[in-house]
Amino acid sequence: MDKITQASLLYDYYGNLLPEKQGELYRLHYEDNYSFAEIAEDLGITRQGVHDFIRRAEKSLREYEEKLGLVAASLEKEAVFEELENTLARLESEDPGLGEKLTEIRRLTERLL
């Protein structure tokens, strides 16, 4: 997973736990794609200050994930559901008579998402 995708996922899960200023700067940089210089200019702080805020936010988000593992659990769950869907599609192609039963299984698994 690339750095920006990982940063966005971490922010989605744990962003509300960050101090307001860290969360704002992190979001501006990773989600709104502002450079450190643009953020610094807009908010009237130094580029180094922006850098420090964002690095502290990144560290906090990584620590939350290490302790709670919500992103990893979500990604694992997605992988399991993808494997399940592939298996159901294979079974359906092997025995078209299973259509209704497999549709019911799909309906039930969607409720878990």
Side-chain angles (χ1 to χ4, degrees):
M1 171 180 338
D2 67 47
K3 182 178 180 176
I4 293 184
T5 302
Q6 183 178 22
S8 291
L9 279 172
L10 289 172
Y11 185 79
D12 288 346
Y13 278 84
Y14 307 113
N16 289 333
L17 300 175
L18 294 173
E20 187 176 335
K21 189 79 162 183
Q22 281 183 11
E24 178 187 2
L25 298 179
Y26 189 91
R27 183 188 53 74
L28 286 170
H29 181 62
Y30 283 110
E31 295 193 355
D32 296 344
N33 205 28
Y34 280 56
S35 69
F36 290 171
E38 290 170 322
I39 297 169
E41 184 179 323
D42 287 353
L43 299 179
I45 59 178
T46 66
R47 185 187 173 289
Q48 184 62 44
V50 172
H51 178 270
D52 292 345
F53 269 107
I54 292 173
R55 292 302 167 244
R56 280 193 298 265
E58 289 173 334
K59 182 177 186 269
S60 294
L61 294 174
R62 282 192 309 271
E63 288 173 354
Y64 294 140
E65 176 60 14
E66 285 174 16
K67 290 176 183 173
L68 301 171
L70 298 177
V71 174
S74 178
L75 294 173
E76 175 63 21
K77 185 169 129 179
E78 284 180 29
V80 168
F81 280 109
E82 184 176 331
E83 185 178 345
L84 176 62
E85 179 54 39
N86 291 338
T87 300
L88 293 174
R90 181 180 50 76
L91 290 171
E92 193 169 38
S93 69
E94 291 172 0
D95 186 351
L98 292 174
E100 279 184 38
K101 292 175 184 170
L102 298 178
T103 298
E104 179 65 14
I105 291 170
R106 285 185 178 99
R107 187 186 66 74
L108 291 170
T109 57
E110 284 176 7
R111 291 175 51 194
L112 296 172
L113 298 174

